[in-house]
Amino acid sequence: MWHDYFKQLEAYLKWQQQKMQSLEQAIHDLQQQYEQLKKKPRTTIEKIEYHFDQLKVETLEGTLNIGLNPATFGEDTIENFAVPKTETIIPQPTPLFRNIQTAVHSYLQEEGEHIIARIEQTYERSLDPTYRQFILQDIARQIDDRIHFYLRQYGESETENEQLQQNIIAYLKRDIEHSIETFLKHLPREETNE
């Protein structure tokens, strides 16, 4: 009886010893994996803020990488996908486009300074003349794209060209005033002459 009891106790102790050895091996393997992970370079991204209203893209070139992540960076697991360069087709301006363009550019040259001055008074701001010119030049560079936008939106119907032209000019004048107002409203105080 005692003999059977000690045999069971011995078998149980052997089983416990094997279990402890397997657990020690598992701990050792986990420590090695942890050390390997510590040696890999890490990328920390704190906070990303997107301000799409301030984004202006004039030219888009480069390489598009799909599936790139910090863990596989530098490994040959990702193929490089290049965006092929294609020729941009620029539409020929129509007489309607030219008429609108001329009218809006004239409006911007004649009234632009007055619009900025009026909005400066409204928001109690004061810009220097070079900053005003910068704003007007930036708007002038964007006018053609806005004309194309409205022409695509409302279509170039030959029967209503005069009415369509006047409507688009009015929309563009509204856009000019709105963009200046939005810009000055969100301009930090230190960028003005105050």
Side-chain angles (χ1 to χ4, degrees), residues 45-57:
I45 300 173
E46 301 264 335
K47 183 178 180 184
I48 298 175
E49 292 184 17
Y50 296 100
H51 298 282
F52 291 108
D53 58 331
Q54 297 173 357
L55 183 64
K56 179 181 171 186
V57 178

Side-chain angles (χ1 to χ4, degrees), residues 85-126:
K85 291 187 178 182
T86 58
E87 237 178 81
T88 305
I89 299 171
I90 300 171
Q92 293 298 318
T94 62
L96 178 60
F97 175 88
R98 287 281 184 220
N99 292 342
I100 296 170
Q101 183 186 43
T102 303
V104 174
H105 278 286
S106 295
Y107 172 77
L108 188 62
Q109 286 176 343
E110 294 166 8
E111 299 295 324
E113 291 275 343
H114 302 296
I115 295 168
I116 292 175
R118 178 174 42 82
I119 295 173
E120 279 181 272
Q121 287 178 341
T122 303
Y123 290 102
E124 298 175 350
R125 300 292 184 105
S126 176

